[in-house]
């Protein structure tokens, strides 16, 4: 069976700098894969490559077994993407933002479905008809997450989804992601939260200066060993 | 609703929610309306005024008492060029060429009543015309509205989100283009209103709405330029700066340069200069007032032979009238030679100016605009030619009356005493030789034909601009 997401010896050069170097991994259907790494390690770049926004300079990147380069539209239609900074329109309300972007995605969603999604991310009812320029960072993040949910795509690419969320919202978000994976959605998320990643992910990959330097999987239905990941993470300065 | 119209609609939502944009739009609409109303008013009054003046001039001429016919030749007449209906949008060259001309014997006068002097009195500022606003101000407004059209999405990160929803760069660009197109369509409303009004005044609908089409194409070219800059460039300030520079270049610098270059490359002598050269040649032709001028010896031999008589006194016609008529014809031929040469050079200058449209669509649209409105140089030249025909006809008709209705002996003795002068007159019924003169614009198809070069260049610009937008939008990067 082909994996929904696969990086094959992926290399990437951005403005002359090697950002990714021979990175290979796959994410199976219904799996949650968390990509950890320091600032500038290449996490966000990896997601952008899956979306076809960046072209690999070596190797290949596949979505549902098809090379992204050969059919960008196909890849994008299978993926819901949560960007690093919740990029939505400040001059529009949450409802208007969702309505607009879902329309662009050719995705029909009823008012009830939209409210249900906003409920799942716990965005206050009274805030939903307010323009986003009056939102806090976390509220904006919640709206962006709701958009990714509403797309109902088989694959989710989430770039630091918990950034800006309060502790309770983070816990709720983790439950939400697990439920989505159980429903069959494939999730690749990028995060700085080692503890959270180990709690929610089936597998954790450690990216350091463009190289995948470690991979940790949950064994025997147990959580990933947070201490081991932490230790591996801490090694970075030793190079 | 398709993605393209949706993107356009959301752009509009943003504009409407931004107070500065709404304020800017209102100011422009107010300015456009005020200028249009003022110009419409001015042209309407000029039009009726000139027609009245034309009729009055004819009536005054007809009302002259019995006189010596040559006094009527110098009494003269006026030809007026009323502004065509579309002059209320595009006064064109009328402001500098003058719209009336004094017609008299042995002379081709310059057109008068130009507004240039009035403009000079105001410090050299030309009047703000609706056409000027369309050519200069509206592109600027498109720049203000659209310089960040695309790059704003990139700056805020929403471009990635839009593309991630499966939309192609081309579709996004088309959506933004549609939003801008609606702006342009709204800008066109005052012009459409003026065009419709001019049609109600008798202007051809073809000409009026070709003018609308020309300006629409012109603004679309600017829209495409603005959109391209916002797709390619990464920062608002840079985009705004680059676009303002392009605007300065295309709308202000190139047209000024083109005028200078055309007049340097094709050296047309001024009216006064050529008049001086002509005066020298004119002397060789002889003075038509002096029938004894040796220059007319050959004519005399010929006429005497024709009537089979020995002396001019024996002629059945007035020899002085014959000389006046002959010398008027000779002189007019010479004058026309010079005038045609000068007008030919001026026409080449304006042709060369038109070719500068390749460097600036503003030049093309202004040439097109003047030609369609009937306020271009070609129309002015036609006015000069037609008024010259009018002049020549009435002068020669009076000379003919001089030759046929006034006895030669009575004529040469007219200065002896008051009674002789009284006798050397002809009946005022002879003044009816004056043709009625009503200057009318060219047919619409003729005017349209004159726009061929400018229209071609404008269409080339439009196609080029659209292709560049699509090409750049295809490779848009987040
Ligand atoms: N727009 C860009 N143009 C050129 N190089 C870039 C660009 N964005 C990022 N890079 C470079 O690519 C490398 C990887 O950046 P990336 O954003 O993928 O890191 P990251 O792991 O997501 O970091 P962070 O945790 O800070 O988000 C960095 O060295 C960065 O300098
Ligand atoms: Mg990142």
């Amino acid at each position: 069976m082909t994996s929904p997401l696969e990086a094959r010896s992926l290399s990437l050069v951005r403005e002359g700098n090697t950002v990714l170097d021979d990175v290979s991994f796959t994410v199976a259907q219904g799996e949650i894969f968390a990509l950890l790494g320091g600032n500038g390690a290449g996490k966000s770049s990896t997601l952008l490559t899956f979306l076809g926004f960046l072209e690999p300079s070596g190797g290949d990147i596949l979505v549902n077994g098809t090379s992204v380069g050969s059919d960008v539209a196909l890849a994008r239609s299978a993926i819901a993407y949560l960007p690093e900074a919740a990029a939505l329109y400040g001059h529009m309300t949450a409802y208007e933002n969702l309505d607009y972007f879902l329309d662009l995605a050719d995705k029909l969603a009823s008012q009830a479905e939209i409210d249900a999604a906003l409920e799942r991310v716990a965005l206050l009812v009274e805030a939903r008809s307010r323009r986003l320029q009056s939102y806090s960072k976390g509220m904006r993040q919640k709206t962006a997450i709701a958009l990714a949910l509403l797309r109902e795509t088989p694959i989710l690419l989430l770039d630091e989804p918990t950034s800006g969320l309060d502790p309770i919202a983070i816990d709720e978000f983790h439950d939400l992601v697990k439920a989505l994976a159980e429903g069959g959605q494939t999730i690749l998320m990028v995060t700085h939260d080692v503890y959270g990643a180990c709690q929610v992910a089936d597998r954790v990959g450690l990216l350091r200066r463009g190289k995948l330097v470690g991979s940790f999987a949950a064994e025997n239905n147990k959580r990933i060993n947070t201490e081991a990941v932490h230790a591996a993470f801490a090694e970075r300065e030793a190079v | 609703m398709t993605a393209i119209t949706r993107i356009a609609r959301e752009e509009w939502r943003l504009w409407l929610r931004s107070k500065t944009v709404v304020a800017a739009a209102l100011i422009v609409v107010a300015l456009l309306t005020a200028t249009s109303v003022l110009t419409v008013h001015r042209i309407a009054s000029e039009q009726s005024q000139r027609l009245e003046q034309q009729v009055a001039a004819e009536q005054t001429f007809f009302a002259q008492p019995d006189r010596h016919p040559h006094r009527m030749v110098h009494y003269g007449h006026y030809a007026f060029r009323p502004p065509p209906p579309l002059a209320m949008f595009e006064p064109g060259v009328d402001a500098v060429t003058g719209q009336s001309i004094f017609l008299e014997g042995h002379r081709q006068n310059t057109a008068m009543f130009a507004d240039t002097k009035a403009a000079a009195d105001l410090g050299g500022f030309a009047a703000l015309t609706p056409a000027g606003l369309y050519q200069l101000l509206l592109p600027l407004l498109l720049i203000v509205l659209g310089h960040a059209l695309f790059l704003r999405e990139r700056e805020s990160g929403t471009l990635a989100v839009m593309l991630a929803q499966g939309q192609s760069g081309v579709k996004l660009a088309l959506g933004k283009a549609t939003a801008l197109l609606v702006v342009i369509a709204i800008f066109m409303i005052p012009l459409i209103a003026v065009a419709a009004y001019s049609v109600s005044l008798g202007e051809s609908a073809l000409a009026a709405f070709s003018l609308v089409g020309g300006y629409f194409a012109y603004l679309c070219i600017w829209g495409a330029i603005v959109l391209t800059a916002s797709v390619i460039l990464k920062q608002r300030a840079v985009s705004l700066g680059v676009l303002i520079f392009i605007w300065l270049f295309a709308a202000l610098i190139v047209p000024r340069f083109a005028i200078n270059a055309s007049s340097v490359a094709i050296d047309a002598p001024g009216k006064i200069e050529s008049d001086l050269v002509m005066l020298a040649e004119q002397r060789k032709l002889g003075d038509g007032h002096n029938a004894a001028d040796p220059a007319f010896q050959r004519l005399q031999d010929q006429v005497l032979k024709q009537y089979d008589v020995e002396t001019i006194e024996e002629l059945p016609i007035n020899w002085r009238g014959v000389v006046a008529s002959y010398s008027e014809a000779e002189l007019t031929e010479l004058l026309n030679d010079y005038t045609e040469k000068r007008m030919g050079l001026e026409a080449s200058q304006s042709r060369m100016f038109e070719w500068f449209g390749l460097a600036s669509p503003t030049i093309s649209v202004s040439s097109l605009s003047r030609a369609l409105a009937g306020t271009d140089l070609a129309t002015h030249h036609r006015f000069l030619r037609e008024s010259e025909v009018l002049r020549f006809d009435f002068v020669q008709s009076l000379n003919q009356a001089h030759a046929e209705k006034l006895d030669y002996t009575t004529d040469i003795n007219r200065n002896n005493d008051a009674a002789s002068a009284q006798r050397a007159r002809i009946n005022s019924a002879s003044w009816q030789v004056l043709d009625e003169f009503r200057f009318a614009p060219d047919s619409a198809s003729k005017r349209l034909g004159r726009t061929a070069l400018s229209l071609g260049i404008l269409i080339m610009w439009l196609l080029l601009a659209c292709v560049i937008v699509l090409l750049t939008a295809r490779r848009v990067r987040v």
Side-chain angles (χ1 to χ4, degrees), chain B residues 219-365:
Chain B
L219 292 180
C220 285
I221 291 167
W222 274 106
I225 292 173
V226 168
L227 190 57
T228 304
S230 87
V231 170
I232 297 176
L233 300 169
K234 304 264 190 291
Q235 285 151 10
R236 275 165 206 249
V238 175
S239 171
L240 191 61
V242 166
L243 285 170
I244 299 266
F245 179 79
I246 293 176
W247 177 81
L248 273 176
F249 184 78
L252 296 179
I253 297 173
V254 175
R256 300 294 181 281
F257 176 79
I259 290 172
N260 287 343
S262 308
S263 55
V264 167
I266 301 165
D267 187 23
K271 168 94 168 107
I272 297 173
E273 245 175 280
S274 57
D275 278 358
L276 286 177
V277 179
M278 206 166 53
L279 213 60
E281 291 204 28
Q282 198 181 319
R283 288 209 184 90
K284 294 182 211 151
L285 291 180
D287 178 5
H289 293 111
N290 178 10
D293 196 311
F296 305 121
Q297 193 53 55
R298 262 190 47 202
L299 175 71
Q300 187 178 335
D301 296 344
Q302 191 193 322
V303 174
L304 291 178
K305 202 171 152 207
Q306 188 190 332
Y307 286 94
D308 202 15
V309 291
E310 297 295 319
T311 63
I312 44 178
E313 285 77 8
E314 291 171 86
L315 281 171
I317 49 172
N318 185 340
W319 169 241
R320 290 193 67 231
V322 174
V323 168
S325 174
Y326 170 81
S327 75
E328 187 70 42
E330 292 272 287
L331 180 64
T332 300
E333 204 184 308
L334 176 71
L335 292 173
N336 283 351
D337 262 6
Y338 273 89
T339 312
E340 283 301 330
K341 218 177 279 169
R342 189 165 50 82
M343 289 198 288
L345 288 173
E346 284 174 2
S348 325
Q349 283 180 344
S350 112
R351 193 80 181 156
M352 183 169 170
F353 177 75
E354 263 191 80
W355 276 105
F356 273 96
L358 290 172
S360 156
T362 309
I363 287 181
S364 298
V365 82

Side-chain angles (χ1 to χ4, degrees), chain B residues 183-212:
Chain B
V183 174
I184 293 171
I186 292 174
F187 284 169
M188 296 308 293
I189 293 174
L191 174 51
I192 292 171
V194 171
Y197 181 55
S198 77
V199 170
S200 80
L201 294 178
E203 181 54 271
S204 122
L206 177 64
F209 287 94
S210 300
L211 189 72
V212 172

Side-chain angles (χ1 to χ4, degrees), chain A residues 48 51-55 76 79 81 83 87-89 91-93 96 99-101 103-105 131 147 151, chain B residues 1 3 6-7 9-10 13-14 17 153 156-167 172 477-478:
Chain A
L48 292 175
L51 285 159
F53 289 149
L54 299 175
E55 268 172 51
R76 287 182 191 168
I79 295 173
Y81 167 58
L88 296 169
Y89 294 109
H91 67 281
M92 293 188 198
T93 68
E96 287 167 349
D99 182 57
Y100 182 29
F101 286 112
D103 196 11
L104 289 185
R131 295 191 193 168
L147 172 62
R151 285 284 305 280
Chain B
M1 196 167 12
R6 184 68 205 258
I7 292 165
R9 214 187 70 184
E10 295 306 331
R13 195 204 301 256
L14 173 66
R17 285 183 181 178
E153 307 278 3
S156 66
T158 42
L159 178 59
V161 183
M162 292 174 111
L163 293 170
Q165 308 307 311
Q167 292 303 331
L172 298 190
R477 288 257 155 259
V478 293

Side-chain angles (χ1 to χ4, degrees), chain A residues 14-15 19 37-46 84 159-160 192:
Chain A
R14 292 185 84 170
E15 291 183 0
V19 171
N39 294 129
K43 306 181 296 294
S44 299
S45 301
T46 308
E84 198 161 8
D159 201 341
E160 300 183 31
H192 289 131

